[in-house]
Amino acid sequence: GAGVSQSPRYKVAKRGQDVALRCDPISGHVSLFWYQQALGQGPEFLTYFQNEAQLDKSGLPSDRFFAERPEGSVSTLKIQRTQQEDSAVYLCASSPTVLNEKLFFGSGTQLSVL
Amino acid sequence: DQQVKQNSPSLSVQEGRISILNCDYTNSMFDYFLWYKKYPAEGPTFLISISSIKDKNEDGRFTVFLNKSAKHLSLHIVPSQPGDSAVYFCASQNSNYQLIWGAGTKLIIKP
């Protein structure tokens, strides 16, 4: 499997619970993105990594959202004290170069906060 | 403030005919546009792109047209096939990494 892998595929959380979403990008890909997609909408940018450096986190909705990519490969998106409005599909994408002309997406993690 | 708009939530086309999906944008500084295709329970996959220095880009059955003066682009699929049934997203790249996405158009190809 050479594609972008995300886990878990589905996550149900109780309001107030912390969650961690994992992304395994394609090996060797420099760029990594996290997007949030609400039902019936296009993906919305959350954050961007170039190798291990988080170059832009302007799309993170609040300080409850935190992302890391410590070794420049696997990334984790953590949401603390989840709220109902956090319910969405979280998509991870990677790109082989910093030009980012073409992104490769994982299948996403569908988060439902009850 | 939607900078990229896809005004048709869905489109139904007969197999073998042409499918035309439309997209409008508001920011004249956008210089690179992409179309992604998404099947249920999968992530979007890249389909075709166009730079603002061109007005047309073709790849097999897929052609994207860009009208900069109207801030409008369209994706033509001809002939349409059942496997083309999916949600199509238009996106604009406004920097070397940020994509602004439309809400998507669900294309249904009828046999």
Side-chain angles (χ1 to χ4, degrees):
Chain A
V4 177
S5 178
Q6 290 188 247
S7 61
R9 186 71 183 87
Y10 301 95
K11 176 69 179 176
V12 178
K14 290 183 179 177
R15 191 167 47 185
Q17 190 178 351
D18 297 349
V19 298
L21 313 180
R22 178 187 169 105
C23 173
D24 281 88
I26 295 173
S27 177
H29 276 201
V30 171
S31 296
L32 186 144
F33 300 79
W34 283 99
Y35 283 88
Q36 181 190 60
Q37 186 174 19
L39 194 63
Q41 300 296 318
E44 297 239 351
F45 171 83
L46 292 177
T47 187
Y48 168 57
F49 289 87
Q50 199 175 104
N51 296 307
E52 69 277 3
Q54 189 175 22
L55 297 190
D56 190 335
K57 55 181 181 179
S58 63
L60 296 177
S62 75
D63 58 8
R64 296 186 295 105
F65 287 70
F66 172 77
E68 61 182 2
R69 194 187 185 199
E71 296 177 0
S73 55
V74 170
S75 177
T76 304
L77 176 67
K78 297 178 180 176
I79 309 173
Q80 295 178 322
R81 304 180 304 281
T82 52
Q83 300 178 6
Q84 284 188 317
E85 60 262 31
D86 300 334
S87 296
V89 175
Y90 290 85
L91 292 165
C92 175
S94 68
S95 176
T97 77
V98 299
L99 293 179
N100 300 313
E101 290 171 329
K102 183 174 171 179
L103 301 186
F104 296 82
F105 281 84
S107 297
T109 294
Q110 184 166 337
L111 173 65
S112 299
V113 182
L114 305 179
Chain B
D1 175 25
Q2 275 189 292
Q3 297 187 66
V4 177
K5 295 182 184 180
Q6 293 177 257
N7 292 319
S8 298
S10 66
L11 176 67
S12 188
V13 174
Q14 200 73 36
E15 181 180 357
R17 307 293 277 268
I18 184 170
S19 295
I20 300 176
L21 297 107
N22 294 302
C23 178
D24 296 293
Y25 61 95
T26 57
N27 191 336
S28 57
M29 298 300 290
F30 289 163
D31 59 7
Y32 190 66
F33 304 88
L34 307 94
W35 285 93
Y36 279 79
K37 174 180 177 179
K38 185 182 183 303
Y39 292 120
E42 294 184 12
T45 55
F46 173 80
L47 193 56
I48 193 169
S49 63
I50 188 166
S51 164
S52 61
I53 62 173
K54 295 185 174 182
D55 53 19
K56 177 182 173 182
N57 189 25
E58 192 171 350
D59 182 2
R61 296 185 298 114
F62 302 92
T63 303
V64 56
F65 295 92
L66 176 62
N67 182 333
K68 289 190 290 290
S69 60
K71 296 191 188 127
H72 177 84
L73 63 157
S74 60
L75 174 68
H76 293 211
I77 306 172
V78 55
S80 300
Q81 298 174 355
D84 296 330
S85 295
V87 177
Y88 289 78
F89 290 97
C90 166
S92 172
Q93 191 165 355
N94 71 344
S95 68
N96 70 330
Y97 60 85
Q98 275 223 27
L99 288 180
I100 309 296
W101 297 72
T105 296
K106 183 176 183 179
L107 177 63
I108 301 163
I109 305 301
K110 298 180 292 186

